[in-house]
């Protein structure tokens, strides 16, 4: 239900640097050596929260990355992660646009 409601808000936009850093910290993503994540466009839920998805990518053997179906949906408000849920619903993370997420410093 949350995923359905969240996609009914305002139109999506590229994730801001602040949102990307919060999500990277929430994923404990400090180095691209062990794993790789992509981040979706962000959108405004009807509840007023900013919503963004992160996807785990795996090495494809050709020095690139292949998308998995391991999605996490982050709900953000006032500069903090309010909640995070695993998501693979058609109304949530699977139909979003993704760009590489950069690791953050500790």
């Amino acid at each position: 239900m949350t995923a359905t409601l969240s996609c009914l808000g305002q139109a999506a936009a590229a994730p801001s640097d602040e949102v990307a850093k919060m999500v990277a910290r929430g994923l404990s993503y400090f180095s691209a050596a062990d794993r790789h994540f992509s981040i979706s466009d962000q959108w405004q839920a009807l509840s007023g929260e900013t919503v963004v998805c992160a996807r785990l990518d795996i090495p494809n053997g050709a020095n690139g990355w292949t998308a998995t179906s391991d999605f996490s949906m982050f709900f953000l408000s006032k500069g903090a992660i309010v909640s995070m849920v695993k998501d693979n619903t058609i109304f949530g993370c699977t139909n979003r646009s993704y760009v590489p997420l950069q690791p953050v410093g500790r």
Side-chain angles (χ1 to χ4, degrees), residues 3 23 27 31 35 46 54 57-58 60 62 75 77 87 91-92 101:
V23 169
L27 292 166
S31 169
R35 54 194 174 153
L46 292 175
D57 299 329
I58 56 173
N60 65 12
F75 295 83
S77 181
D87 179 81
F91 299 111
L101 178 62

Side-chain angles (χ1 to χ4, degrees), residues 3-4 53-55 68-73 85-96 98:
T4 303
C53 295
R55 178 187 70 209
T68 69
S69 59
D70 185 359
F71 296 99
S72 298
M73 184 180 285
V85 295
K86 292 292 187 180
D87 179 81
N88 63 359
T89 65
I90 193 166
F91 299 111
C93 295
T94 56
N95 292 322
R96 315 263 3 138
Y98 286 84

Side-chain angles (χ1 to χ4, degrees), residues 6-93:
S6 65
C7 70
L8 297 175
Q10 296 177 352
S16 68
D17 287 342
E18 178 185 2
V19 166
K21 287 178 182 176
M22 277 191 286
V23 169
R25 285 188 186 99
L27 292 166
S28 298
Y29 187 40
F30 302 113
S31 169
D34 297 333
R35 54 194 174 153
H36 183 268
F37 289 95
S38 293
I39 188 168
S40 75
D41 46 10
Q42 69 183 46
W43 68 98
Q44 196 79 26
L46 292 175
S47 62
E49 296 168 325
T50 298
V51 185
V52 67
C53 295
R55 178 187 70 209
L56 177 65
D57 299 329
I58 56 173
N60 65 12
N63 292 329
W65 299 92
T66 299
T68 69
S69 59
D70 185 359
F71 296 99
S72 298
M73 184 180 285
F74 290 84
F75 295 83
L76 307 125
S77 181
K78 299 179 183 174
I81 296 172
V82 176
S83 65
M84 188 268 306
V85 295
K86 292 292 187 180
D87 179 81
N88 63 359
T89 65
I90 193 166
F91 299 111
C93 295

